Amino acid sequence: MTIEHATSHRPASTTEADVLLIADDHEVFRYGLAQVLRRSLKLADVVEAGTFPEALERLADERIKAAILDLGMPGLARIEDLTQVRRKRPDIYLVVLSGSEAREDILAALAAGAHGYLVKNASTTSLVGQIKAILHGTIYVPPCLALLPPQPQAVSDTRETAASPASGPELTDRQSEVLALIAQGLSNKRIAHALAISEGTVKMHVTSILRVTGASNRAQAAALGLQAVKDAT
């Protein structure tokens, strides 16, 4: 499932002169993924790290334009700690890699500022495609997010990091419709088609939704939309 970024929160696109960071404590997996991405993305280099503190140190390299972090690596005690990456390098793409398909983990990672959540059991081809999509400006979340049964912890994780629509100014009916379609992964163009409105109008609604909900990007807004659907069922 891919979701377009709100333009104001989109990092710069990567180029062949850029460097990508892979942080994973499994050396063989890390090395293999690094080699595949080095060839597929034609980057200048791929920097590796085996722990979260080491990854934070590597981010001092200003050439790094994207970071792929394993949630299970040493030093990363909580998913919320990913906010340290966003504070240190708000200009880069943050991609989470994990063996977990738990709803609360996915939502917490998005709320912490991740631009995508990748599941390790995907094929190499799929992972490369998903990473390419993120680096071209989309938010990626695994399709399982919409299929897993709701879990109470997801509510608290989401509400701790972004204000619920119910806790502040209410969304209009049209904004609620747009948010529901964002949660389904539709682009602005497809939302415009579905609602028979212009793409420019959709963009204005997205901006208003981000302001009203307190979400910092479309990923967080999508998480709120999914939560709202769950609460209504």
Side-chain angles (χ1 to χ4, degrees):
M1 184 191 306
T2 56
I3 307 170
E4 287 186 347
H5 277 286
T7 303
S8 61
H9 300 284
R10 183 184 300 176
S13 299
T14 57
T15 70
E16 293 185 6
D18 293 329
V19 175
L20 183 144
L21 168 66
I22 298 179
D24 193 301
D25 61 320
H26 294 282
E27 185 176 356
V28 174
F29 176 85
R30 186 179 72 228
Y31 175 80
L33 183 60
Q35 296 305 308
V36 170
L37 293 180
R38 190 175 279 112
R39 292 195 303 269
S40 301
L41 302 181
K42 297 180 174 62
L43 299 173
D45 196 10
V46 177
V47 177
E48 300 180 37
T51 67
F52 187 57
E54 184 181 359
L56 292 176
E57 290 181 5
R58 294 283 190 272
L59 289 176
D61 185 342
E62 295 184 355
R63 298 176 304 157
I64 293 176
K65 299 302 181 183
I68 302 175
L69 276 65
D70 174 30
L71 281 185
M73 82 177 81
L76 184 57
R78 305 177 308 150
I79 296 177
E80 289 78 7
D81 291 340
L82 291 171
T83 56
Q84 295 181 47
V85 176
R86 304 299 297 136
R87 287 195 296 267
K88 189 178 183 69
R89 291 293 304 274
D91 59 314
I92 69 171
Y93 286 102
L94 172 58
V95 183
V96 168
L97 186 63
S98 176
S100 170
E101 296 184 44
R103 174 185 292 267
E104 62 267 29
D105 289 345
I106 299 172
L107 295 180
L110 294 175
H115 296 94
Y117 188 103
L118 311 182
V119 179
K120 275 190 171 182
N121 63 12
S123 67
T124 301
T125 300
S126 294
L127 285 177
V128 171
Q130 292 158 10
I131 292 170
K132 282 183 176 179
I134 294 169
L135 298 184
H136 281 83
T138 62
I139 294 288
Y140 180 85
V141 293
C144 63
L145 180 63
L147 303 176
L148 294 173
Q151 299 184 22
Q153 185 62 36
V155 178
S156 61
D157 283 343
T158 300
R159 290 178 180 172
E160 286 174 0
T161 52
S164 169
S167 65
E170 294 184 359
L171 296 175
T172 65
D173 290 341
R174 177 63 84 189
Q175 289 168 353
S176 296
E177 292 174 338
V178 172
L179 179 57
L181 295 175
I182 289 174
Q184 294 177 31
L186 271 64
S187 65
N188 285 347
K189 184 176 182 179
R190 292 178 62 190
I191 292 174
H193 179 74
L195 299 179
I197 57 179
S198 71
E199 191 171 348
T201 300
V202 173
K203 291 179 179 179
M204 288 191 295
H205 283 312
V206 171
T207 299
S208 297
I209 289 169
L210 295 178
R211 184 181 65 252
V212 171
T213 62
S216 62
N217 53 47
R218 284 178 72 116
Q220 289 185 10
L224 288 171
L226 289 168
Q227 188 60 55
V229 171
K230 185 189 78 172
D231 291 343
T233 59

